[in-house]
Amino acid sequence: MDSYDVVVVGAGAIGLSAAYWCSKAGKKVLLLDQFDFDNDFFSSKGESRFFRVMYSNPHLSLLAQSAYPLWRELEDDSGLDGILNDTSLLFFGPPSGVNTPEGDLKDSQAVLEEQGLPFTRLTAADFPERYPALKGLSDDVVGLVQPQAGVIAADRALQALAQLCRKQGVTMIPRRTVSRIQDAPGQVTVTTAQGDYTGKKLILVPSAWTNPVLDSLNLQLELEIWTMTYAYFTVAQSQYNYPLWFYFGAPQFPGDDQTTYYGLPPLLTPGRLKVGTDFTFQKSPLPPTSPPQADPRMVELLNSFMRAHFQGLQSLAQDPVGCLYTMTPDLNFVLDALPGHPDILLFTGDTGQAFKFTPLLGKILAELALTGVTQFNIQPFSIQRPGILRPR
């Protein structure tokens, strides 16, 4: 039985990144996934993702600023340019816009000011000239425009990471479902139906399947799996300049969180906008047993929103897609060693925000696995913080 310096379970973006950084350090690395490496369950699937430093959480803003040069390093290492495509980002909505997993307008402005990041604040009078593609906005609409943002070519990023892993000697094995984990000082053994795999360190990035993977260690986390929906809209790209944007709507009642929409410009999808919601009606404590599907109710909400607020639509929602978010109660990641298991590291609770941090999160996991410490502040992601570990 081969033994490795590091075994990584979960071959989405963060798992690939962790394997990349560990192998870049000259370590012998094994990467396992329960599915094929390109599958419809991946939270990492799709052609595009946001990059931004505009956050209402100051810690995430700082981490995003640290992630940016690592994306450029990934482009340089892989020889694949166009992974991160720079553009500005617009947050907009009424001043009373709801606080969502993506933050809100008021706190985002406070963080930009606190960290000295450039931005422009817009009032309703500014929108017709600055963003003529938008319509139907309230008289009190406000906006924040921040230039340090971009569109990540997600499929290209996964391609770059996989190529580098193979080039650096990572053993990559698909269709291996973890049924048991055992550890002793200096050695961790992962059991699958096809056999056992051992390593000095184990990095777990199991996303929606976190609790099944942790079950043999008598650990469970308070996680909820959200099935999200996005779709594509054909637009008059030659007539209008469509931005990268988030809309924070006003709540209609206390606790209403169903007012946040986002859209990506046609940088990677010529003539089409990618548009989604930051809320869902489909939430479950269990991972899915079949690939996630788009919710027709969400598609109708997307159609209504786009008809009301965007010029130049040439279609309603096309090619709707379902994807998974793994949510923690406080909407923050979990990135830590497992209690009582110092040789096992866990990243989970992507909360729909992790992809933009891919090279940074992989680097942090690699630093922890190889040296036991990281140069980055991960205290907010502690597994020991209140509400994360489920009593057993």
Side-chain angles (χ1 to χ4, degrees):
M1 179 173 58
D2 285 344
S3 184
Y4 297 84
D5 294 312
V6 181
V7 176
V8 181
V9 173
I14 312 304
L16 280 167
S17 180
Y20 155 67
W21 284 106
C22 289
S23 59
K24 189 175 183 178
K27 301 303 180 181
K28 184 179 180 182
V29 180
L30 170 66
L31 178 61
L32 303 174
D33 197 274
Q34 65 177 324
F35 303 112
D36 289 313
F37 289 127
D38 182 13
N39 68 77
D40 288 333
F41 286 96
F42 267 177
S43 295
S44 304
K45 71 178 182 178
E47 85 290 318
S48 58
R49 292 292 190 282
F50 268 75
F51 180 83
R52 62 188 171 101
V53 301
M54 184 157 55
Y55 266 100
S56 61
N57 181 326
H59 187 239
L60 292 181
S61 179
L62 288 171
L63 289 180
Q65 293 170 61
S66 296
Y68 184 90
L70 298 180
W71 281 111
R72 297 306 182 203
E73 184 173 339
L74 176 62
E75 290 178 327
D76 290 342
D77 281 1
S78 66
L80 294 176
D81 57 9
I83 293 176
L84 176 54
N85 303 273
D86 293 329
T87 189
S88 60
L89 170 61
L90 168 68
F91 278 10
F92 71 108
S96 57
V98 66
N99 194 349
T100 76
E102 297 294 348
D104 64 13
L105 290 162
K106 178 181 177 182
D107 290 342
S108 294
Q109 180 171 339
V111 170
L112 292 171
E113 292 172 340
E114 173 189 307
Q115 297 187 5
L117 294 171
F119 72 95
T120 302
R121 182 175 174 86
L122 306 180
T123 65
D126 299 314
F127 277 86
E129 180 177 356
R130 185 76 179 259
Y131 294 107
L134 297 174
K135 67 176 183 177
L137 303 180
S138 61
D139 292 339
D140 63 347
V141 67
V142 295
L144 298 173
V145 183
Q146 211 286 323
Q148 294 160 280
V151 178
I152 303 167
D155 49 3
R156 196 167 179 81
L158 295 178
Q159 178 189 358
L161 287 166
Q163 287 180 357
L164 286 167
C165 283
R166 293 187 178 97
K167 180 180 178 181
Q168 293 166 183
V170 175
T171 301
M172 302 171 62
I173 307 179
R175 298 183 294 280
R176 296 294 187 269
T177 299
V178 174
S179 59
R180 186 180 184 187
I181 299 171
Q182 298 171 280
D183 65 329
Q187 179 173 297
V188 184
T189 300
V190 173
T191 297
T192 73
Q194 293 80 13
D196 292 349
Y197 304 92
T198 66
K200 297 174 184 176
K201 300 288 183 179
L202 174 63
I203 296 175
L204 298 174
V205 196
S207 190
W209 289 266
T210 296
N211 282 331
V213 168
L214 294 180
D215 195 54
S216 65
L217 296 172
N218 199 35
L219 286 172
Q220 296 286 274
L221 275 58
E222 295 289 354
L223 299 174
E224 195 169 52
I225 313 307
W226 292 12
T227 299
M228 312 302 291
T229 295
Y230 63 85
Y232 298 87
F233 291 79
T234 302
V235 292
Q237 185 177 352
S238 62
Q239 293 179 247
Y240 297 100
N241 183 23
Y242 294 94
L244 179 70
W245 58 270
F246 263 104
Y247 175 80
F248 300 87
Q252 302 302 305
F253 51 85
D256 179 17
D257 64 354
Q258 299 174 7
T259 59
T260 306
Y261 295 78
Y262 67 85
L264 289 88
L267 288 177
L268 304 179
T269 54
R272 302 215 300 175
L273 308 182
K274 177 182 175 181
V275 183
T277 67
D278 204 39
F279 60 92
T280 182
F281 302 128
Q282 297 177 291
K283 303 178 182 182
S284 171
L286 301 175
T289 57
S290 59
Q293 302 296 315
D295 185 340
R297 297 169 295 180
M298 306 306 293
V299 173
E300 283 307 307
L301 288 173
L302 291 174
N303 283 333
S304 296
F305 180 85
M306 293 300 289
R307 280 193 298 250
H309 295 299
F310 276 81
Q311 307 270 21
L313 288 187
Q314 297 179 341
S315 79
L316 294 179
Q318 299 173 322
D319 305 323
V321 178
C323 62
L324 300 178
Y325 286 4
T326 303
M327 307 297 291
T328 57
D330 62 5
L331 309 180
N332 246 334
F333 307 145
V334 174
L335 200 174
D336 205 349
L338 296 184
H341 305 276
D343 294 327
I344 305 176
L345 301 166
L346 173 68
F347 176 80
T348 192
D350 60 79
T351 67
Q353 304 181 88
F355 201 106
K356 65 180 69 64
F357 302 100
T358 290
L360 176 65
L361 293 172
K363 184 178 179 68
I364 291 172
L365 287 165
E367 289 178 346
L368 293 172
L370 303 183
T371 71
V373 296
T374 178
Q375 61 188 292
F376 302 97
N377 176 20
I378 59 170
Q379 184 59 37
F381 308 145
S382 170
I383 196 172
Q384 304 278 16
R385 70 186 189 268
I388 298 301
L389 286 168
R390 183 182 298 169
R392 299 206 72 181

